[in-house]
Amino acid sequence: GENVEQHPSTLSVQEGDSAVIKCTYSDSASNYFPWYKQELGKGPQLIIDIRSNVGEKKDQRIAVTLNKTAKHFSLHITETQPEDSAVYFCAASRIEGTALIFGKGTTLSVSS
Amino acid sequence: NAGVTQTPKFRVLKTGQSMTLLCAQDMNHEYMYWYRQDPGMGLRLIHYSVGEGTTAKGEVPDGYNVSRLKKQNFLLGLESAAPSQTSVYFCASSANREDTGELFFGEGSRLTVL
């Protein structure tokens, strides 16, 4: 089955800096790679996703890149703000019907 | 809009007791999932369902049972609770996976087994 590794487990940055979180996956048939943000006491929420037919996707300050050959994908947050502080999860799956497998999460702390 | 609702939100059990967590969604989603979240372990899939009347095992299914008798509900049962099942449980749902893969999560149910 799929296995997703996520690094780092914790990340501390100053407000305005960039943050990068990296994930690798094992199943070469996986073709869907979302990122979720979990704020304290809440369930995770989707912030961005990418499918295997594209290499990069951006949404304002957030971008995700995918390297299918190397089987890794990354989340990039630019101009970080204190409200970006949360736990971030990457995940992978085949889009056609199987369930998402998550990485272990990265706790991002943005200090002002 | 309620979205995904989990009950109860908190529960304390003694070892060997049984209980059921209820998940309800009002988005007419086909797919539903149960995950558990433990410190340093992320979100691990327990069981999932791709439609009414169907269930499938996830990464960590042992010690749990599930049922999906109605499309909008997904029940997670613990027949004989163990301290290792102390965790925060999240239910999620998603629409047809070919349209979007987005999972919508509930706010979690914190279970403590003494």
Side-chain angles (χ1 to χ4, degrees):
Chain A
E2 177 65 273
N3 182 52
V4 178
E5 300 284 341
Q6 182 172 349
H7 300 279
S9 56
T10 60
L11 180 59
S12 296
V13 300
Q14 292 287 323
E15 183 177 1
D17 288 350
S18 295
V20 180
I21 303 170
K22 298 181 179 181
C23 289
T24 60
Y25 61 98
S26 62
D27 185 354
S28 57
S30 288
N31 53 13
Y32 177 64
F33 308 94
W35 288 87
Y36 283 78
K37 177 183 180 182
Q38 184 181 29
E39 297 177 343
L40 197 61
K42 297 188 176 182
Q45 281 193 301
L46 179 71
I47 55 171
I48 195 167
D49 58 11
I50 192 168
R51 301 194 181 194
S52 60
N53 56 346
V54 298
E56 184 175 4
K57 184 177 179 180
K58 289 183 179 180
D59 183 3
Q60 299 182 342
R61 296 186 296 108
I62 293 173
V64 57
T65 59
L66 172 65
N67 183 327
K68 284 219 71 177
T69 302
K71 290 192 283 189
H72 70 69
F73 56 113
S74 301
L75 178 71
H76 304 253
I77 306 174
T78 58
E79 300 174 16
T80 54
Q81 301 167 3
E83 51 265 38
D84 293 328
S85 296
V87 180
Y88 291 82
F89 293 98
C90 63
S93 77
R94 304 179 195 185
I95 193 66
E96 58 278 8
T98 59
L100 281 174
I101 301 299
F102 286 83
K104 292 184 178 180
T106 296
T107 300
L108 174 64
S109 299
V110 181
S111 54
S112 56
Chain B
N1 290 337
V4 178
T5 303
Q6 295 180 226
T7 53
K9 289 184 169 47
F10 301 93
R11 184 74 187 269
V12 178
L13 289 178
K14 294 181 180 178
T15 297
Q17 288 185 319
S18 63
M19 75 158 296
T20 300
L21 295 176
L22 170 63
C23 177
Q25 54 95 2
D26 61 2
M27 297 172 282
N28 200 34
H29 283 169
E30 289 292 334
Y31 297 80
M32 297 188 74
Y33 315 82
W34 277 107
Y35 288 88
R36 61 177 288 176
Q37 184 174 23
D38 303 290
M41 299 299 292
L43 292 159
R44 292 183 292 170
L45 181 64
I46 305 171
H47 287 280
Y48 64 101
S49 168
V50 299
E52 182 178 320
T54 73
T55 62
K57 294 180 179 180
E59 302 171 270
V60 289
D62 294 343
Y64 304 94
N65 56 75
V66 288
S67 64
R68 183 100 181 267
L69 299 179
K70 294 183 179 180
K71 185 177 182 179
Q72 64 268 31
N73 295 337
F74 195 28
L75 278 64
L76 178 71
L78 287 71
E79 291 187 348
S80 180
S84 60
Q85 294 178 304
T86 293
S87 187
V88 180
Y89 292 86
F90 285 97
C91 177
S93 69
S94 65
N96 184 313
R97 294 294 305 278
E98 292 178 355
D99 293 330
T100 172
E102 181 173 4
L103 266 61
F104 293 84
F105 283 85
E107 296 207 328
S109 297
R110 182 175 294 276
L111 174 65
T112 301
V113 183
L114 302 175

